């Protein structure tokens, strides 16, 4: 069975965006970006909340990374090669290739996607990920803790979930970012 993976770049106090919606402090440097690229490369399908999808749409256009470093070109290729499922009640049409829209989050449908997939899946956007976490569908977590406290905003994790985790790997980067890789304990 393929795994469902939740990855998030967060502040040390656990937010993916601050109270003003900013997440410029989360932008990975080239060292972290290269590491993230290698984690994302094997993923076959991204499950995305509509908000995260709109941010990630940046990667669809080759011109967006034209003058950018090789890690960004690499990631643009990884993004374009993956299938995307966008969850949204409002999006009329997808603006990217290999994309389908789902109007509701059905845990059983995701269970079936995991069972049928030959490559792992990821879930992104904390509002959407919260539903997968609560349904017990997330197998692994990759957290990138950024050395900043932002004091509030959009939390990476929902309230009301208790889940034991096993640490699989950790890594420290030059920027002070720390990567933590956990597996869900059954
Ligand atoms: N730290 C970083 O590196 C980083 C990078 C990128 C983005 N961000 C931040 O990440 C955040 C994005 O996550 P988010 O939690 O705001 O939103 P999200 O989970 O990406 O998207 C939420 C949207 O997904 C749709 N959705 C969620 N559950 C659904 C369901 N059960 N059925 C149908 N549609 C559903 C809804 O879209 P509709 O409203 O269309 O119905 C909802 O408004 C933003 O704060 C962004 O600034 C951070």
């Amino acid at each position: 069975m393929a795994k469902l993976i939740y990855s998030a770049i967060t502040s040390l106090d656990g937010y993916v965006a601050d109270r003003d919606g900013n997440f410029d402090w989360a932008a990975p440097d080239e060292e972290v970006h290269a590491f993230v690229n290698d984690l994302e490369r094997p993923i076959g399908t991204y499950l995305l909340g509509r908000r995260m999808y709109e941010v990630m749409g940046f990667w669809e256009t080759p011109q967006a990374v034209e003058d950018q470093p090789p890690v960004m070109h690499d990631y643009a290729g990884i993004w374009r090669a993956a299938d995307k499922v966008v969850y949204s009640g409002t999006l009329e049409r997808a603006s990217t290739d290999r994309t389908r829209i789902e109007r509701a989050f059905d845990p059983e449908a995701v269970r079936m996607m995991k069972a049928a997939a030959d490559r792992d899946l990821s879930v992104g956007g904390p509002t959407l990920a919260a539903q997968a976490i609560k349904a017990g569908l997330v197998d692994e977590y990759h957290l990138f803790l950024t050395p900043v406290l932002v004091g509030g905003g959009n939390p990476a994790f929902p309230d009301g979930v208790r889940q034991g985790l096993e640490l699989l790997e950790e890594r420290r980067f030059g920027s002070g970012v720390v990567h933590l890789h956990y597996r869900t304990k059954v």
Side-chain angles (χ1 to χ4, degrees), residues 47-90:
L47 311 184
L48 295 161
R50 192 257 309 158
R51 288 180 203 277
M52 185 58 95
Y53 173 70
E54 285 177 345
V55 174
M56 297 301 285
F58 165 85
W59 297 101
E60 188 78 4
T61 338
Q63 299 88 289
V65 289
E66 211 165 57
D67 301 323
Q68 300 299 327
V71 283
M72 291 183 72
H73 286 264
D74 185 27
Y75 186 73
I78 293 167
W79 163 264
R80 287 196 288 268
D83 293 327
K84 294 104 186 159
V85 181
V86 186
Y87 292 82
S88 173
T90 62

Side-chain angles (χ1 to χ4, degrees), residues 115-127:
D118 51 11
R119 299 173 71 190
D120 288 342
L121 299 89
S122 70
V123 59
T127 302

